[in-house]
Amino acid sequence: MTGWLAAGAWGLLGGAALVVGAAIAWFVAVPPKATASVMAFGAGVLISALAFDLVQEAADSGGLGTAAVGFLVGAVAYMLANAVLARHGARHRKRSRDQQPSERDQAGSGAAIAVGALLDGIPESVVLGASLLGGGAVSVAVVAAVVISNVPEGLSSAAGMKNAGRSAGYVFGVWGTIAVVSAVAAALGYLLLGSASPQVGAVITAVAAGAILTMVADTMIPEAFERTHAFTGLIAALGFLCAFSISRLGS
């Protein structure tokens, strides 16, 4: 299998985890504390992958300054885009209770939530594809981080969509589309970074990392803390340790 097809397949796997999470939320009554706990665990997993794979790789290949600038650009860009979407009803797109507005509450919120979900998934998919570039093998830690975090993301967000009265067609249409876009983004990440200089590759990786960390802090941790409270940090720490162990064992 050629590199870009393999990258697309891994991106599709990561996106499919969102669909799995959405299906669980739609057909199974998952206790809110269980959803929040898995969300906290997934946040810790992503933070570990950022620290020991993405940011470190960007700094090693492009230098600390390049990685720092790219990281901050990604964080600011995500923050600004998220602020715009929040004004249109997507602020609580990963919340599982009744925080998400219905279309009757705020016209256009359905489209904003869909775009927000897409915004959350693209950076992960790009770095997933880019992780194949080194030795031709995907980073086990990055794949684990994306899959483990995407299941609770899809679960929590879909539960909120269902509570807001959105249809099954809307819910699975959103997550199915994002799964396909994730595959395309991963393939593009492989193709674009494959011919790029180490500096450019480092910038793109760092930008994606900054966006992912901002997403974790803005959308995942609030949902986790709402239900797990004092246990949020401990559960996130377990997720961090799990991903770190996978990274070390796979190296």
Side-chain angles (χ1 to χ4, degrees):
M1 183 182 293
T2 58
W4 68 270
L5 281 176
W10 285 112
L12 185 61
L13 174 66
L18 291 165
V19 181
V20 170
I24 293 172
W26 193 265
F27 295 109
V28 180
V30 181
K33 282 191 176 181
T35 301
S37 297
V38 181
M39 186 73 86
F41 188 87
V45 168
L46 276 179
I47 292 171
S48 179
L50 291 173
F52 295 105
D53 282 89
L54 304 182
V55 179
Q56 181 173 320
E57 179 185 337
D60 289 344
S61 59
L64 177 59
T66 297
V69 171
F71 189 84
L72 290 174
V73 168
V76 171
Y78 181 91
M79 179 192 70
L80 294 175
N82 195 46
V84 172
L85 291 168
R87 289 200 296 268
H88 291 83
R91 180 182 301 278
H92 300 301
R93 58 185 176 275
K94 281 192 172 68
R95 308 303 286 271
S96 60
R97 299 178 68 192
D98 56 358
Q99 297 97 328
Q100 289 187 29
S102 65
E103 199 66 25
R104 181 169 47 189
D105 295 329
Q106 186 170 356
S109 59
I113 290 170
V115 173
L118 191 61
L119 174 70
D120 298 338
I122 287 179
E124 296 175 355
S125 302
V126 170
V127 297
L128 195 55
S131 72
L132 279 164
L133 292 172
V138 71
S139 168
V140 176
V142 174
V143 171
V146 171
V147 172
I148 292 172
S149 63
N150 276 359
V151 171
E153 282 185 52
L155 195 161
S156 181
S157 185
M161 293 173 181
K162 185 177 181 181
N163 289 337
R166 303 195 187 279
S167 67
Y170 171 88
V171 172
F172 291 103
V174 166
W175 298 118
T177 299
I178 291 174
V180 174
V181 172
S182 295
V184 173
L188 287 175
Y190 181 91
L191 290 172
L192 295 177
L193 292 178
S195 58
S197 67
Q199 287 286 114
V200 173
V203 169
I204 294 176
T205 300
V207 167
I212 293 170
L213 182 58
T214 309
M215 179 272 291
V216 169
D218 283 355
T219 64
M220 295 182 70
I221 292 177
E223 167 65 16
F225 183 78
E226 184 178 23
R227 286 289 183 173
T228 56
H229 300 297
F231 292 99
T232 305
L234 175 60
I235 297 170
L238 291 173
F240 184 98
L241 182 60
C242 175
F244 176 70
S245 300
I246 291 172
S247 178
R248 296 290 290 182
L249 293 172
S251 61

